[in-house]
């Protein structure tokens, strides 16, 4: 469920294929995370994007009272290629840790097909899970690259084309889909952006890697209280998750952008 949530909103960098041909852009997004009205964390995502390559880094942590209970930190990194509007991840890595344990997942991909997965220390809770077949590891996105959503050049950034899509995601453990559907528009404001956003409803569909008797998986699969607002980035002709709200088993969780900026960058995206 953690990765499904992050895929919906924490990494909020959505970049398309219509990029400036002679330069790269750096996108920085800062998000606050709250649960039942209490601020529990924040996340910062940065992305370097060129006409044919991208690289995204995301760091999230608990803050305030939540940090006193558990010192959880998450770090994500993805890189890959952009080709004719298709997102083709080549590498993905995530490190999650608390006071007791730190675990790293590394995944190597080729044009959206998983070639190798390394989990350290090894994940032992495999019994009773729906097998993730090799066929299910083709034509997928990792959780961070899944946040790269292009909008066709002939379509407006705030409208149905911003939302209507299904993201096929694999995180090294679980294979799932996130389906977005257009629901309307509204006005928002934050440092770096103010204006209209597309409002999307979202549904979580477990495919494999989950346990059939998992209460949390069943809750998310039946969850109809998930919404994402996508803000436009004019130059790149892309949309960016500005706000995500979803009902969890612990109550309503909200992720809000408090800052979103786009600046010229001389950094070259590393796809390896």
């Amino acid at each position: 469920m953690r990765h499904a949530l992050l895929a919906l909103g924490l990494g909020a960098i959505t970049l398309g294929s219509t990029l400036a041909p002679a330069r790269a852009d750096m996108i920085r997004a800062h998000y606050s995370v709250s649960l039942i009205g209490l601020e529990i964390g924040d996340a910062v995502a940065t992305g370097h994007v060129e006409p044919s390559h991208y690289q995204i880094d995301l760091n999230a942590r608990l803050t305030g009272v939540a940090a006193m209970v558990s010192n959880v930190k998450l770090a994500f990194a993805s890189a890959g290629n952009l080709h004719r509007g298709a997102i083709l991840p080549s590498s993905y890595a995530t490190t999650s840790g608390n006071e007791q344990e730190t675990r790293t997942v590394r995944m190597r991909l080729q044009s959206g097909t998983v070639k190798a997965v390394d989990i350290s220390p090894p994940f032992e809770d495999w019994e009773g899970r729906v097998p993730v077949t090799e066929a299910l590891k083709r034509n997928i996105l990792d959780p961070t690259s899944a946040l790269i959503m292009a909008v066709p050049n002939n379509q407006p950034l705030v409208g149905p084309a911003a939302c209507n899509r299904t993201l096929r995601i694999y995180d090294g453990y679980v294979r799932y889909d996130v389906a977005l559907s257009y629901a309307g528009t509204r006005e928002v404001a934050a440092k770096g952006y103010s204006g209209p956003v597309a409002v999307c409803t979202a549904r979580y569909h477990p495919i494999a890697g989950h346990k059939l008797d998992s209460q949390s998986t069943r809750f998310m699969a039946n969850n109809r209280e998930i919404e994402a607002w996508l803000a436009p980035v004019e130059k790149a002709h892309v949309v960016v998750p500005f706000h995500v709200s979803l009902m969890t088993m612990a109550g309503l969780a909200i992720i809000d952008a408090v800052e979103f900026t786009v600046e010229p960058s001389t950094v070259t995206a590393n796809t390896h």
Side-chain angles (χ1 to χ4, degrees):
M1 297 308 102
R2 179 191 71 206
H3 286 149
L5 173 62
L6 287 168
L8 285 169
L10 282 179
I13 303 173
T14 41
L15 307 161
S17 58
T18 314
L19 302 171
R23 49 162 274 192
D25 283 328
M26 182 180 77
I27 297 180
R28 185 180 188 276
H30 183 197
Y31 297 86
S32 66
V33 184
S34 64
L35 181 66
I36 57 172
L38 301 174
E39 186 171 342
I40 62 167
D42 63 14
V44 175
T46 57
H48 298 281
V49 185
E50 304 170 25
S52 59
H53 305 290
Y54 69 90
Q55 181 176 339
I56 303 171
D57 295 282
L58 166 69
N59 290 278
R61 59 172 185 156
L62 294 181
T63 59
V65 175
M68 297 173 62
V69 177
S70 179
N71 186 25
V72 174
K73 295 181 180 180
L74 302 170
F76 295 79
S78 296
N81 301 314
L82 301 169
H83 181 65
R84 296 182 178 178
I87 308 304
L88 304 173
S90 60
S91 66
Y92 166 73
T94 177
T95 299
S96 57
N98 56 27
E99 296 88 346
Q100 287 77 41
E101 184 180 54
T102 297
R103 174 169 279 116
T104 298
V105 178
R106 292 183 176 86
M107 188 157 57
R108 180 170 58 85
L109 307 96
Q110 182 177 352
S111 299
T113 295
V114 176
K115 295 299 183 180
V117 177
D118 177 73
I119 302 176
S120 180
F123 185 61
E124 298 179 354
D125 187 24
W126 295 112
E127 185 177 353
R129 293 181 178 271
V130 178
V132 182
T133 65
E134 292 304 312
L136 291 175
K137 298 178 184 178
R138 302 186 188 118
N139 191 29
I140 62 92
L141 297 164
D142 63 77
T144 317
S145 295
L147 300 167
I148 302 172
M149 295 177 277
V151 176
N153 288 335
N154 61 348
Q155 296 293 324
L157 289 170
V158 179
C163 296
N164 295 336
R165 66 186 78 230
T166 295
L167 308 173
R168 295 164 45 88
I169 304 169
Y170 179 59
D171 61 12
Y173 302 95
V174 179
R175 170 71 178 82
Y176 58 92
D177 288 350
V178 175
L180 301 177
S181 300
Y182 179 69
T185 64
R186 65 178 301 152
E187 296 287 321
V188 298
K191 182 180 179 180
Y193 177 76
S194 62
V197 295
V199 177
C200 317
T201 59
R203 295 297 306 274
Y204 175 87
H205 301 290
I207 305 298
H210 61 284
K211 292 189 175 183
L212 291 175
D213 62 352
S214 169
Q215 184 179 1
S216 60
T217 299
R218 185 164 54 251
F219 177 88
M220 285 298 295
N222 294 326
N223 194 347
R224 294 183 178 274
E225 296 183 62
I226 311 175
E227 191 172 84
W229 306 349
L230 305 181
V233 179
E234 296 290 344
K235 181 178 179 181
H237 203 74
V238 300
V239 289
V240 175
F242 186 92
H243 162 101
V244 173
S245 63
L246 74 160
M247 186 60 64
T248 73
M249 296 179 68
L252 183 66
I254 295 177
I255 302 166
D256 266 319
V258 295
E259 179 183 357
F260 179 80
T261 58
V262 181
E263 299 176 348
S265 174
T266 58
V267 176
T268 300
N270 181 4
T271 61
H272 302 289

